[in-house]
Amino acid sequence: MSLATGSYLARRAAQKERVRILYRRALKDTLNWAVHRHLFYHDADALRERFDANKNVADIDTIDRMITAGEASYNKWRHPDPYIVPWAPGGTKFCRNPTPPAGIEIIYNFGREDND
């Protein structure tokens, strides 16, 4: 394998990774915009069609421009208040009951201590 071929394959692999990440982010963000699942399915199909329409583009520079335009469009239309699972970082229940600091002993016998 020549240096040019290796460089080409490395660039294509990086592009595939960027497209995969962009698709996953856009698909997850579609859930934030859809109120009901039946609306989400329609939007997810439309998103997939947009990605599949450009599946067979072969020019590397064109692909780079398309990825950059897609990332810009995604950043422009991102949901301003995305849904966060309550127990995930940033959720309403995250670290609600954190572990006690070191040095604090928790006694679970609730007043039945031995008074020796």
Side-chain angles (χ1 to χ4, degrees):
M1 178 168 38
S2 70
L3 183 60
T5 306
S7 173
Y8 173 80
L9 292 176
R11 191 168 173 192
R12 287 287 294 169
Q15 286 176 342
K16 287 180 182 181
E17 183 71 12
R18 283 178 65 194
V19 169
R20 184 187 63 80
I21 289 170
L22 177 63
Y23 177 71
R24 286 188 56 130
R25 285 182 181 165
L27 190 62
K28 287 181 181 182
D29 197 55
T30 302
L31 267 172
N32 294 326
W33 289 103
V35 179
H36 300 288
R37 276 293 177 169
H38 67 278
L39 300 173
F40 165 74
Y41 293 140
H42 175 70
D43 294 342
D45 288 340
L47 178 67
R48 184 64 192 199
E49 287 174 6
R50 287 181 62 191
F51 274 81
D52 284 341
N54 300 312
K55 188 195 293 191
N56 298 321
V57 176
D59 183 35
I60 292 182
D61 295 327
T62 304
I63 294 171
D64 277 336
R65 284 193 302 274
M66 292 170 72
I67 292 172
T68 303
E71 288 171 344
S73 175
Y74 167 71
N75 287 329
K76 179 181 178 184
W77 294 108
R78 256 165 79 178
H79 198 282
D81 188 23
Y83 176 75
I84 300 172
V85 180
W87 51 88
T92 56
K93 291 183 179 180
F94 184 69
C95 285
R96 184 174 284 180
N97 297 316
T99 56
I104 294 180
E105 181 181 350
I106 299 176
I107 301 173
Y108 291 106
N109 58 4
F110 305 107
R112 295 186 296 273
E113 297 91 6
D114 294 330
N115 295 327
D116 295 336

